[in-house]
Amino acid sequence: MLNVNSLIKVIKKNNCSFFTGVPDSVLKELSFSLKNLPKKQHIIAANEGAAVSIGIGHYLSTKKIPCVYMQNSGLANAVNPLISIANKKVYSIPLILVIGWRGSPNKKDEPQHKAKGRITCQILKLLNIKYSVLKNEKDLIKFNNQVKNAKKNNEIVACLIEQGALKRSKKNLKFKDTFKLDKQIFLKSLLSVIDKKTKIISSTGYNSRELFYARKSYNFKKGEDFYMVGGMGHTSSVSLGYSLFSKNKTICIDGDGSLLMHLGSIKTLGEFSNNNLKYILLNNNSHDSVGGQSTYMKNVNLKNLSKSLGFKNFYQITNKTNLNKKIKNFLDKKSLNFLEVRISNNKIKDLPRPKNLIQLKKMFMK
Ligand SMILES: Cc1ncc(C[n+]2csc(CCOP(=O)(O)OP(=O)(O)O)c2C)c(N)n1
């Protein structure tokens, strides 16, 4: 196994003092180690393309190689600036990529991670990026040499870290809750007030898993769900595409990290959506599913934002008082509205994951 501080040491030894990325559960330990850096030295980016681009900007002003971290599912978001700006044949900009490798061969994982995990090395090869798989401290020797070469030749270098490869620190790794309302209380209330034909499309991570859990545990039968097990940030777009050609009431359950990842999509929704689409943001001010790192969403004036993006009214729920009534009132409105629910982080251990995805898709499309 590998101690994350040994990896950070190698990175820092190579005169790198700037970190940016999108949090990942595999790299949770890295997030915790970077937690106390000043804001200027560690930036949690909205998406992986943005993280690479922030890194590129850092190099342009400091001539120092930056460290950009991400989950391999986000590698696709990063490809554009990697190949069209940083690539050796374009501007030749050195970067250190630290990539959490979900779905690596021989590791059990979910279908969406297996699919991406299988092609992750091929993507790096296609991009002409040299990489190391870091399993233990010894692997850092090769990686250190690769970083040195990357600096010398102004190239991108990467390391892949499999699930469980980073040693768990003894500390209780948990960021604090920002808001109080329990997500399960909200979801149970929502599932109890919806009509039979309602469709719910929910975002990547705990939102989908908690919705799935609430539905199964309490046997809620009304409505059907489509769980966005991957494609983080695209929940609002799938919801828009669905709702425009459906008579059903369509509820989009988004997360704050998910909304921010492709924030532009909410403008498209605001412009083009029908009134059968009900947008609900479950705001916990954090990337709860991958460790609880901040999204800094609590500083956003969502009322002003949503209204200027085309939503007619803004609603907010912060506690369980009159919950059913408030949700019903929101769902019954005949206009395009935005509901922010300020919730706390997940409290359920070992949340189940939706299985039989093709079957779920068929049920949703019935
Ligand atoms: C493109 C991409 N980048 C990163 C991830 C890893 N990831 C999974 S869930 C998640 C956090 C989602 O945050 P939010 O939408 O606020 O939901 P919460 O986890 O708080 O329930 C992240 C970063 C991913 N699945 N896909």
Side-chain angles (χ1 to χ4, degrees):
M1 283 184 100
L2 177 69
N3 189 326
V4 77
N5 291 324
S6 311
L7 171 63
I8 294 175
K9 224 187 215 170
V10 166
I11 292 170
K12 287 194 170 164
K13 222 169 64 185
N14 281 285
N15 200 24
C16 166
S17 55
F18 180 77
F19 297 80
T20 178
V22 177
D24 169 30
S25 55
V26 175
L27 304 177
K28 216 186 271 183
E29 299 289 334
L30 178 67
S31 287
F32 279 93
S33 290
L34 302 177
K35 195 172 127 199
N36 295 325
L37 283 180
K39 250 184 160 177
K40 215 177 155 182
Q41 275 173 41
H42 175 216
I43 294 184
I44 300 178
N47 64 60
E48 293 79 0
V52 166
S53 308
I54 292 168
I56 290 171
H58 176 78
Y59 171 76
L60 291 178
S61 68
T62 63
K63 302 191 183 74
K64 283 168 69 175
I65 192 167
C67 174
V68 183
Y69 64 89
M70 66 187 76
Q71 182 180 101
N72 58 335
S73 56
L75 192 52
N77 277 338
V79 165
N80 184 19
L82 285 175
I83 196 72
S84 305
I85 299 289
N87 181 262
K88 186 105 186 144
K89 299 254 164 67
V90 188
Y91 280 112
S92 192
I93 293 187
L95 303 168
I96 302 171
L97 307 183
V98 175
I99 303 171
W101 192 7
R102 293 293 302 263
S104 66
N106 312 319
K107 287 252 181 229
K108 262 183 136 188
D109 214 326
E110 300 304 301
Q112 69 279 12
H113 291 303
K114 281 309 252 183
K116 191 60 174 283
R118 210 177 299 126
I119 62 165
T120 296
C121 295
Q122 284 161 280
I123 295 176
L124 291 176
K125 281 179 194 152
L126 268 177
L127 292 167
N128 228 343
I129 296 175
K130 294 200 182 72
Y131 65 89
S132 284
V133 179
L134 301 183
K135 294 188 185 221
N136 51 48
E137 305 276 319
K138 267 199 291 181
D139 295 327
L140 286 175
I141 300 169
K142 178 179 161 199
F143 184 56
N144 184 36
N145 288 330
Q146 285 177 320
V147 175
K148 279 197 166 63
N149 282 332
K151 277 195 326 182
K152 196 167 82 197
N153 303 323
N154 286 337
E155 283 170 358
I156 306 167
V157 63
C159 64
L160 291 173
I161 299 178
E162 291 176 323
Q163 207 166 12
L166 289 184
K167 235 182 243 164
R168 288 284 199 96
S169 60
K170 291 200 184 72
K171 282 175 266 161
N172 185 17
L173 302 184
K174 198 78 188 127
F175 289 92
K176 282 198 200 102
D177 280 334
T178 308
F179 303 124
K180 288 203 174 68
L181 178 61
D182 188 311
K183 200 193 289 181
Q184 279 300 310
I185 293 180
F186 173 78
L187 289 175
K188 279 192 266 176
S189 181
L190 177 75
L191 288 172
S192 71
V193 302
I194 56 174
D195 309 327
K196 227 169 132 191
K197 288 191 169 163
T198 302
K199 304 289 183 169
I200 303 180
I201 301 175
S202 55
S203 64
T204 313
Y206 283 165
N207 283 349
S208 282
R209 288 173 66 185
E210 286 205 48
L211 177 64
F212 179 71
Y213 173 85
R215 193 177 269 294
K216 297 291 162 224
S217 307
Y218 302 95
N219 208 16
F220 286 110
K221 292 263 189 287
K222 287 182 290 178
E224 291 292 343
D225 308 334
F226 185 80
Y227 308 106
M228 294 284 291
V229 294
M232 183 177 160
H234 295 299
T235 316
S236 63
S237 299
V238 173
S239 304
L240 174 65
Y242 179 83
S243 59
L244 282 177
F245 294 89
S246 166
K247 289 197 179 67
N248 298 321
K249 205 171 266 181
T250 307
I251 299 176
C252 173
I253 297 185
D254 217 348
D256 42 315
S258 168
L259 168 63
L260 287 171
M261 182 161 271
H262 297 297
L263 190 60
S265 301
I266 200 75
K267 165 65 189 148
T268 313
L269 193 154
E271 191 69 38
F272 290 96
S273 180
N274 286 340
N275 295 338
N276 62 333
L277 178 50
K278 307 292 166 194
Y279 184 85
I280 300 178
L281 176 70
L282 297 188
N283 186 8
N284 54 6
N285 192 44
S286 73
H287 295 97
D288 188 17
S289 329
V290 289
Q293 303 84 341
S294 184
T295 56
Y296 303 97
M297 189 61 125
K298 74 167 190 221
N299 304 329
V300 177
N301 185 330
L302 289 167
K303 184 175 183 181
N304 288 354
L305 181 76
S306 59
K307 285 203 165 184
S308 62
L309 291 176
F311 290 84
K312 184 114 197 288
N313 294 301
F314 173 79
Y315 297 85
Q316 192 184 59
I317 292 177
T318 58
N319 57 48
K320 57 185 181 189
T321 316
N322 294 327
L323 199 49
N324 285 13
K325 205 171 141 200
K326 284 183 195 158
I327 297 174
K328 210 163 165 1
N329 175 48
F330 168 75
L331 294 177
D332 287 347
K333 288 274 177 306
K334 298 274 178 294
S335 46
L336 177 68
N337 300 314
F338 190 110
L339 171 62
E340 180 201 9
V341 186
R342 299 191 143 196
I343 44 131
S344 62
N345 285 344
N346 167 51
K347 301 288 179 285
I348 299 159
K349 284 213 171 103
D350 302 321
L351 271 175
R353 295 170 188 272
K355 304 277 175 215
N356 302 321
L357 300 180
I358 305 284
Q359 186 58 28
L360 284 174
K361 179 192 75 178
K362 283 183 186 155
M363 298 289 289
F364 183 87
M365 291 176 74
K366 257 210 293 209

